[in-house]
Structures are given as structure tokens and as C-alpha cells.
């Protein structure tokens, strides 16, 4: 259970000094969690095959006219539906395999429910991204082979994240990297031909889309699922472990809630708004349960105020599980929620209701109001324990009257025993829960404790004297809450930052192919001014200067000077470079931003099931030889920037700056420095 892939030493790439990020856990490691996840992947394939066969049989049934053929197809369909139902029940069994995810320490606690990771198919980014780099950015796509390989390796690593905070950072890094990829390569006007396939974690049904939103949503779901696995792995026999459990489930609820609010149209049912709402409730219920365990961890003493607190905390846990069970039985969630999950929610609702009545009975039966004690405080606590006192009883009178306390306490014990028996009955009705030994042991021990206490006080006339015990008001000192994902704590560098600042060089904007401009500075005068930062733009162009005659236009972006990439250089750095040439010939490459109409593609591709999309290369050639009409009269020639004079003019020319990103283009390929340098998987499992 503790075997994991040892962290590999940094691997050199083509150039020295490049450090490769560490990958996920070893997918071949024979750990409990990896075996379970591999079983899930195999089941997904079987479900996919069964669904395809069923679809084929249904199509044949529609097309067949021969009665014997139709009867044979109906028979086959019944078998296929039966097999598919058995496969889904087997997948449900994996979803309730809580023992694999629990802490390895022996613990007499009810297990918590984790979520399994969504499985996916391999994705090849190389062809589509290379074509887009050549077509859209007019750059040599082979210069970006390492970046594309890094992206694919990062995705592959995310399929086997370690079960700790480093694994969460790995998934978050890929999610943030997808934001860069989407802006760089996924224009809103066309599809990229990359098919993403993810399997529903609850039903095993595959969902395929060419939309990157499915990929991002599935990674978010796996972040939430990984938090649940971290929470169940914590040692709940220590205060620190319980605190980590509460924190993990609150973070899982935050990620799933963020997924529900951000990606509202995901086709996978496990990520539908209705299902995510139920999963968020389940995470918060388990966090509240861990909070109750933290209150009980130091041990319970027979002290009045402590027992009041514990009884109300238990009632709170019972209430949230009762609400969760009701939500799980609502349409359309009821059809696809695992039956074992709904059964466990019902079991826990009755179990914690029983504990609330048991602790209330204990404080009533064993308590004696002694002289000198704070009667007002005790009276107030007892009155707040109920929404209303039983008929004929008052809080202070009950505290002072031993007989009344005994009768009311035994009434609570009766309700406790009833809830215990109901929880055991619900557990016995579910085959999966019957196989969880620790659950059966906890429920049986709790019932025996309540029955033993009642048997010590039982009298023959209890059936006549006992009344129904009132409900206990649920209350907690710590209301669990959603913790939103903190993506800002994960530092990610855009793999494709060599393409230029994302605010300018994105998939939403189209440019001409780079044009080579050969010109000279006449007497220190370039003939134009510059503005903006990263990249720099040509501004105030003299129509008679050498640069204008060579094809430069106002608004052009300078992307290179003498084969030196200038997309990430600031205005002062570009000016310094141009100044260094003096009267010599200058070679400058510029691009022009196309308007909205010319940026629309004239061709589109249609995707057919089972066939890969293909795209025709779109010609980027545009007429860039729009020469300035020298016969046009100019009233006055502008005074342009000279290198030796008037520095203030340089400042004023750059006052109108373009949006820029906060990172500078490094001279060499920059690798992810964080969080991958933190991914140590010595003690983590896949």
C-alpha cells in the first residue's frame, strides 16, 4: 500500500540547464488504489463495448422488417441490457470500495465515501497544434515540438496523480495550462479536430467532445475527487488528522461547486448541475461528521454541558445526512446515484440521530442538580436542547425532579434504540454495505450500548408511563463551509510563451505573415516613432521615409530585428537595438493585424462519429505591397525621432501602451519551475 514511484532525477532536454517536471505516480504500481482505478478503466471499456452493441441492435431493430429477425434482435437486446446493468452494478461496487482509500491505521470509525478519478483516453496534440502554429502564427512548428511534448507529458501525468497536496498541484497546473492553450490555439470560430474522451465516473458512459471545456471540467472533477481521497486517507484518530479531513472535504466541496457554477453545460452526467449539487452536499456532510468526531476525540466525560454540546452536534450530523438522503432520492439524480451511497446516507442519518438521543438520555439520567451549581445556566441549556419541552414539564422542574428526568431519559433511550435498529436494517438491505465489516461493527456496538443502558433502568410499566421523546435541536460550534479552489497559489508558466505576449498573440486575433522590411536611418532619423511594450508598434510613420517605402505601415508590430525575436522586448530595448545600427542597413520583420472580416475562416470541417477531422491549410498570403502614393500632397512633413536629441519625445511616443503580460520572454526555453519541483511522491500512492 505504500509503494510508489521514486522521484526521478531531473532529465536534461536538448539544451543543458532545462529541468523536466516530475511525472505522476507509476501507473503500473500494484497498490490498492491503482488496482481499483485499473478495474474502473477496464469496466469503462466493457460498458463502452456493450453500449455500442446495444446501439447496433437498436438500429437493426428499426431497420428490420422480417418478424423473425425482429424477435431475435429483441432477445439479443434483452441480454445486452442485462449485461449492461450488471456492468454498471459492478462499477457501483467500485464506487463504494471505501476500504481501499481509508487510512491504514486500525480505526473503529464509520468509513467515509471518496470519489474515484475520471478515466480518459490518450490525446495527441502534436498534429493539430503544429498545423495551427504554422497556419495562424506563421512560425516553424518544429520549433515547438518540445513544448507540445511537455503538454502531452503533463496530461499523461495527470492521469495518475499522487494522493497528496502535490497531486492536487499537478492537476491544478494542467488546468491553468489549459487556459493558456485555449487562448493560444482554440479560436471560437472553428474546431481544432482534437477529440477529448472522458468516462462518467458513476455510470462508465464515455463522453467525447472537441471542446476543450470538457477537458477542463473533467480535470476540475478529478481535483475534487483527489481531495476526497486525501480526506479519507487522513488518520481520524488524531486531532490533526481530523482537521485535515474536514479541510479536504470542504475543499472538495469548493472545487465541485466551482465546477457546477462555471461549467454549466457539461454532457457527462456526473458533472451535471443536479449531480454536482448532491456531491457538494455529500462532501459537506462528511466534513460535518468529521467535526463531530473531533469533538468526541478527547473522550466524553459525564458532564452536563459537554453532553448537551455533543448531543446537539450529533443531531446536526444526523440532520445533514437526512437532507443528503432526501436529495439523493430526487429525480433525476436518483437514477444514477449509487444505491449504496444513498443507503449509507440513510444509515448515518439514523445512526447519528440515535447518538443524539443517547447522549441526551445520559445527561438526564446520570445528572444530579447539586447545591451551589449554576441552575440558571443549566436550565437555559436544557431549554435550548429542545424546540419545545414535553407537555407538563419545565426545564428547571425536570432538573430538580429525579423521577421526571428518569422517565424523559428512558424515552430518549427508546428512540435511540429505534434509530439504531433502523440504521442496521438499512445497512442489511444493501449488499455492498453488508460487506463493510467496520460499519457493521460500529452500528452493532452503538445499539448494544443503548440497549444495555435501557435494560438497567427498564420497568414493567414503561409502556404506560413513557411518552415520545421530543426532537433535539441540531447545533454546531463549527459550521462547515465551502472552500473555493485557490488557483493563484499555483505558479504556472505558459509553455508556448515564445509565440509572444498572450494579450496580443492569441487565437482570437489574426495577422499577416511576417514581412521583411529593409531600410536605413537617414541622418539618425528612422522615419517613425514607437509605442507600446512587448510587442512594440510602429507609430507616426513618415510616408516618404525608407521604412515606409519598404512596406511598413502604421500599427505594424515589430516581431524581429536582424533575426532577433522582439516580441517580448520593451520599447526602450527595441529603440536601443535600432540605435545600434546607425547608418547601416536594418532588417526588420513586422506583422499587421487583420480586421474581423478577414480573420473569419472561409472553410469549416464537420465531425462524423468515428472519423478524424481534417482541415485544409488556409492561405495566409495577403497583399502587403500597398505602396504609398507619392503623388499625394502632404501639407507638412512631421518631425520624427532622432537618436541623438529630444529624449522626452521618446517618452511621449510610448504613452499609449498595449496590454502586456507580467512575464518577460527568457532567452532560452523555460520549464515549469513550480509546482512540479515540489512533486515528491516518496510517500504517496496512485
Amino acid at each position: 500500500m505504500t509503494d510508489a514511484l521514486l522521484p526521478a532525477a531531473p532529465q536534461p532536454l536538448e539544451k543543458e540547464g532545462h529541468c523536466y517536471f516530475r511525472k505522476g505516480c507509476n501507473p503500473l504500481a500494484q497498490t490498492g488504489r491503482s488496482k481499483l482505478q485499473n478495474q474502473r478503466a477496464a469496466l469503462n471499456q466493457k460498458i463502452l463495448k456493450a453500449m455500442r452493441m446495444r446501439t447496433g441492435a437498436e438500429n437493426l431493430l428499426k431497420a428490420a422488417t422480417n418478424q423473425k429477425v425482429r424477435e431475435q434482435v429483441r432477445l439479443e437486446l434483452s441480454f445486452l441490457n442485462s449485461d449492461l446493468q450488471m456492468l454498471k452494478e459492478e462499477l457501483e461496487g467500485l464506487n463504494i470500495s471505501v476500504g481501499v482509500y481509508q487510512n491504514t491505521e486500525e480505526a473503529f470509525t464509520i468509513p467515509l465515501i471518496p470519489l474515484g478519478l475520471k478515466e480518459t483516453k490518450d490525446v495527441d496534440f502534436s498534429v493539430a497544434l503544429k498545423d495551427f502554429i504554422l497556419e495562424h502564427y506563421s512560425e516553424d512548428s518544429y520549433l515547438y515540438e518540445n513544448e507540445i511534448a511537455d503538454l502531452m507529458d503533463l496530461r499523461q501525468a495527470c492521469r495518475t496523480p499522487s494522493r497528496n497536496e502535490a497531486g492536487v498541484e499537478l492537476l491544478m497546473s494542467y488546468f491553468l495550462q489549459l487556459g493558456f492553450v485555449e487562448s493560444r490555439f482554440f479560436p471560437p470560430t472553428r474546431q481544432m479536430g482534437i477529440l477529448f474522451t472522458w468516462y462518467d465516473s458513476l455510470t462508465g458512459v464515455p463522453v467525447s467532445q472537441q471542446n476543450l471545456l470538457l477537458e477542463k471540467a473533467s480535470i476540475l472533477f478529478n481535483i475534487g475527487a483527489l481531495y476526497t481521497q486525501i480526506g479519507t486517507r487522513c488518520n481520524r484518530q488524531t486531532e490533526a488528522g481530523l482537521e485535515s479531513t474536514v479541510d479536504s472535504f470542504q475543499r472538495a466541496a469548493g472545487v465541485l461547486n466551482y465546477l457546477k457554477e462555471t461549467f454549466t453545460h457539461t454532457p457527462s452526467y456526473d458533472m451535471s448541475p443536479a449531480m454536482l449539487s448532491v456531491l457538494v452536499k455529500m462532501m459537506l456532510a462528511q466534513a460535518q461528521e468529521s467535526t463531530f468526531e473531533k469533538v468526541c476525540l478527547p473522550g466524553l466525560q459525564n458532564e452536563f454541558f459537554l453532553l448537551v454540546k455533543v448531543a446537539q452536534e450529533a443531531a446536526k450530523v444526523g440532520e445533514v445526512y437526512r437532507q443528503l438522503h432526501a436529495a439523493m432520492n430526487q429525480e433525476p439524480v436518483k437514477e444514477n446515484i449509487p444505491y449504496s451511497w444513498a443507503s449509507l446516507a440513510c444509515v448515518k442519518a439514523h445512526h447519528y440521530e440515535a447518538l443524539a438521543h443517547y447522549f441526551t438520555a445520559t445527561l438526564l439520567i446520570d445528572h444530579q442538580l447539586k447545591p451551589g451549581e449554576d441552575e440558571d445556566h443549566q436550565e437555559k441549556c436544557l431549554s435550548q436542547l429542545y424546540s419545545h419541552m414535553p407537555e407538563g414539564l419545565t426545564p428547571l422542574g425536570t432538573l430538580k425532579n429525579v423521577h421526571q428526568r428518569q422517565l424523559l431519559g428512558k424515552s430518549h433511550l427508546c428512540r435511540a434504540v429505534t434509530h439504531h435498529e433502523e440504521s442496521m436494517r438499512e445497512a442489511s438491505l444493501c449488499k455492498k454495505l453488508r460487506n463493510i465489516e467496520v460499519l457493521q461493527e460500529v452500528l452493532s456496538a452503538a445499539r448494544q450500548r443503548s440497549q444495555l443502558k435501557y435494560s438497567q433502568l427498564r420497568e414493567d410499566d414503561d409502556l404506560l408511563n413513557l411518552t415520545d421523546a421530543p426532537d433535539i435541536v441540531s447545533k454546531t460550534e463549527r459550521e462547515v463551509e465551502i472552500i473555493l479552489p485557490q488557483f493563484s497559489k499555483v505558479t504556472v508558466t505558459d509553455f508556448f510563451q515564445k509565440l509572444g505576449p498572450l494579450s496580443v498573440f492569441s487565437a482570437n486575433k489574426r495577422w499577416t505573415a511576417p514581412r521583411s522590411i529593409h531600410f536605413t536611418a537617414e541622418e539618425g532619423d528612422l522615419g517613425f516613432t514607437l509605442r507600446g511594450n512587448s510587442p512594440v508598434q510602429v507609430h507616426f510613420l513618415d510616408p516618404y521615409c525608407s521604412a515606409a517605402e519598404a512596406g511598413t505601415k502604421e500599427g505594424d508590430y515589430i516581431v524581429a530585428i536582424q533575426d532577433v525575436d522582439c516580441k517580448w522586448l520593451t520599447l526602450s530595448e527595441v529603440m536601443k537595438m535600432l540605435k545600434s545600427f546607425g547608418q547601416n542597413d536594418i532588417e526588420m520583420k513586422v506583422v499587421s493585424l487583420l480586421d474581423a472580416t478577414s480573420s473569419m475562416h472561409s472553410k469549416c470541417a464537420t465531425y462524423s462519429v468515428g472519423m478524424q477531422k481534417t482541415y485544409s491549410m488556409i492561405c495566409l498570403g495577403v497583399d502587403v505591397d500597398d505602396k504609398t502614393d507619392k503623388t499625394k500632397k502632404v501639407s507638412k512633413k512631421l518631425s520624427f525621432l532622432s537618436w541623438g536629441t529630444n529624449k522626452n519625445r521618446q517618452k511621449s511616443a510610448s504613452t499609449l501602451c498595449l496590454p502586456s503580460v507580467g512575464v518577460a520572454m527568457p532567452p532560452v526555453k523555460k520549464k515549469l519551475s513550480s509546482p512540479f519541483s515540489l512533486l515528491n511522491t516518496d510517500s504517496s500512492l496512485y
Side-chain angles (χ1 to χ4, degrees), residues 245-475:
T245 302
V246 174
D247 181 73
S248 296
F249 279 106
Q250 289 182 127
R251 293 185 183 278
V255 173
L256 296 176
N257 190 69
Y258 177 81
L259 172 59
K260 181 189 69 172
E261 295 180 350
T262 307
F263 300 89
T264 56
H265 301 290
T266 51
S268 183
Y269 190 78
D270 56 353
M271 297 188 294
S272 64
M275 181 60 71
L276 288 174
S277 296
V278 171
L279 293 180
V280 169
K281 289 180 181 293
M282 187 170 75
M283 299 306 116
L284 293 178
Q286 295 186 123
Q288 195 68 58
E289 181 181 4
S290 300
T291 300
F292 169 77
E293 292 178 352
K294 186 178 177 182
V295 174
C296 300
L297 183 64
L300 299 179
Q301 300 176 354
N302 196 354
E303 196 271 327
F304 183 84
F305 299 111
L306 177 61
L307 290 176
V308 170
K309 173 184 175 182
V310 173
Q312 291 187 312
E313 290 280 357
K316 179 65 176 180
V317 179
E319 180 185 48
V320 294
Y321 272 113
R322 187 169 61 252
Q323 294 172 353
L324 173 62
H325 181 254
M328 287 180 170
N329 283 279
Q330 296 292 325
E331 297 291 348
V333 176
K334 183 179 180 180
E335 297 179 1
N336 290 306
I337 200 78
Y339 173 71
S340 52
W341 288 7
S343 298
L344 186 57
C346 184
V347 166
K348 289 188 176 184
H350 286 293
H351 175 70
Y352 285 103
E353 284 285 349
L355 292 184
H357 286 287
Y358 171 79
F359 290 126
T360 302
T362 301
L363 72 88
L364 289 170
I365 295 172
D366 298 342
H367 175 67
Q368 292 183 359
L369 185 59
K370 299 178 181 178
E373 291 185 340
D374 190 350
E375 294 183 2
D376 293 339
H377 191 193
Q378 292 189 10
E379 179 186 7
K380 182 179 179 180
C381 286
L382 186 60
S383 64
Q384 293 178 349
L385 187 62
Y386 305 117
S387 58
H388 62 277
M389 288 292 295
E391 186 177 356
L393 299 181
T394 61
L396 184 58
T398 303
L399 289 173
K400 292 182 177 181
N401 191 314
V402 177
H403 181 67
Q404 287 183 1
R405 284 192 287 106
Q406 292 281 342
L407 290 178
L408 185 56
K410 285 192 288 185
S411 298
H412 281 290
L413 284 176
C414 288
R415 286 199 64 177
V417 172
T418 301
H419 280 294
H420 282 309
E421 292 177 346
E422 187 64 21
S423 67
M424 295 192 68
R425 187 187 71 84
E426 287 287 344
S428 65
L429 293 177
C430 180
K431 179 181 177 181
K432 307 300 180 183
L433 298 186
R434 287 200 302 267
N435 296 331
I436 304 178
E437 295 182 0
V438 65
L439 174 63
Q440 299 294 333
E441 292 174 359
V442 171
L443 298 180
S444 178
R447 183 186 64 173
Q448 291 176 9
R449 182 177 58 181
S450 297
Q451 287 179 334
L452 178 61
K453 194 169 188 64
Y454 178 68
S455 64
Q456 294 173 351
L457 303 169
R458 185 173 183 177
E459 297 177 359
D460 295 336
D461 59 348
D462 281 349
L463 292 177
L464 299 176
N465 295 330
L466 295 182
T467 58
D468 291 337
D471 292 332
I472 299 167
V473 175
S474 63
K475 184 180 179 181

Side-chain angles (χ1 to χ4, degrees), residues 437-552:
E437 295 182 0
V438 65
L439 174 63
Q440 299 294 333
E441 292 174 359
V442 171
L443 298 180
S444 178
R447 183 186 64 173
Q448 291 176 9
R449 182 177 58 181
S450 297
Q451 287 179 334
L452 178 61
K453 194 169 188 64
Y454 178 68
S455 64
Q456 294 173 351
L457 303 169
R458 185 173 183 177
E459 297 177 359
D460 295 336
D461 59 348
D462 281 349
L463 292 177
L464 299 176
N465 295 330
L466 295 182
T467 58
D468 291 337
D471 292 332
I472 299 167
V473 175
S474 63
K475 184 180 179 181
T476 179
E477 291 187 352
R478 178 180 178 180
E479 190 81 33
V480 295
E481 58 185 11
I482 290 173
I483 299 180
L484 295 177
Q486 298 176 331
F487 297 111
S488 59
K489 291 188 176 181
V490 180
T491 304
V492 177
T493 302
D494 181 10
F495 281 156
F496 300 92
Q497 61 177 350
K498 286 195 303 184
L499 291 172
L502 187 58
S503 59
V504 177
F505 297 98
S506 66
N508 294 329
K509 297 180 180 180
R510 298 272 297 169
W511 306 267
T512 62
R515 311 190 307 276
S516 293
I517 307 297
H518 294 270
F519 70 100
T520 57
E522 302 173 358
E523 298 180 357
D525 189 355
L526 289 173
F528 57 84
T529 59
L530 304 175
R531 70 174 180 179
N533 268 307
S534 304
V536 172
Q537 270 187 296
V538 175
H539 192 47
F540 289 137
L541 177 67
D542 182 358
Y544 297 111
C545 69
S546 174
E549 293 177 352
T552 306

Side-chain angles (χ1 to χ4, degrees), residues 82-101:
S82 177
D83 290 342
L84 189 58
Q85 184 62 31
M86 292 177 63
L87 290 173
K88 290 185 176 181
E89 289 178 358
E90 191 175 348
L91 182 60
E92 179 186 343
L94 297 183
N95 286 328
I96 198 61
S97 299
V98 293
V100 175
Y101 297 100

Side-chain angles (χ1 to χ4, degrees), residues 44-233:
N44 289 336
Q45 295 300 320
K46 292 180 181 178
I47 292 174
L48 175 59
K49 181 180 179 181
M51 291 187 63
R52 286 176 174 173
M53 293 180 65
R54 186 179 68 175
T55 302
E58 290 174 346
N59 292 335
L60 180 58
L61 183 62
K62 294 177 181 179
T65 57
N66 187 288
Q67 189 62 28
K68 290 185 177 180
V69 174
R70 291 176 64 86
E71 291 178 359
Q72 184 66 28
V73 173
R74 287 194 183 97
L75 181 61
E76 291 294 332
L77 264 176
S78 65
F79 282 112
L80 288 173
N81 286 327
S82 177
D83 290 342
L84 189 58
Q85 184 62 31
M86 292 177 63
L87 290 173
K88 290 185 176 181
E89 289 178 358
E90 191 175 348
L91 182 60
E92 179 186 343
L94 297 183
N95 286 328
I96 198 61
S97 299
V98 293
V100 175
Y101 297 100
Q102 308 300 312
N103 186 269
T104 56
E105 301 291 334
E106 292 292 333
F108 193 67
T109 54
I110 298 180
L112 302 172
I113 300 177
L115 298 178
L117 299 178
K118 288 173 69 70
E119 289 289 336
T120 182
K121 288 185 177 181
D122 292 334
V123 172
D124 187 1
F125 288 98
S126 57
V127 175
L129 296 194
K130 283 182 179 179
D131 288 348
F132 194 81
I133 289 173
L134 179 62
E135 168 197 335
H136 186 82
Y137 294 101
S138 302
E139 293 200 27
D140 189 351
S141 59
Y142 291 99
L143 298 176
Y144 294 87
E145 287 185 342
N146 286 338
E147 286 78 3
I148 296 174
D150 288 349
L151 178 65
M152 295 175 63
D153 287 344
L154 177 58
R155 186 184 193 273
Q156 187 65 24
C158 288
R159 299 177 69 175
T160 58
S162 57
R163 190 168 39 156
N164 52 24
E165 194 62 33
V168 174
E169 290 185 356
L170 176 66
L171 293 176
M172 285 189 174
S173 299
Y174 180 58
F175 177 77
L176 295 176
Q177 192 66 234
L178 287 176
F180 291 121
V181 172
E182 184 177 23
S183 298
R184 295 282 192 190
F185 303 107
F186 286 79
T189 57
R190 60 177 281 190
Q191 297 287 349
M192 285 294 293
I194 303 176
L195 190 65
F196 301 98
T197 300
W198 288 85
Y199 293 90
D200 193 300
S201 65
L202 302 180
T203 64
V205 176
V207 175
S208 299
Q209 272 193 349
Q210 296 186 38
N211 196 330
L212 196 63
L213 294 180
L214 176 63
E215 181 88 347
K216 297 171 72 174
S218 299
I219 290 296
L220 276 178
F221 184 93
N222 277 358
I223 293 175
L226 194 58
Y227 269 127
T228 66
Q229 296 180 13
I230 294 173
T232 54
R233 191 188 189 190

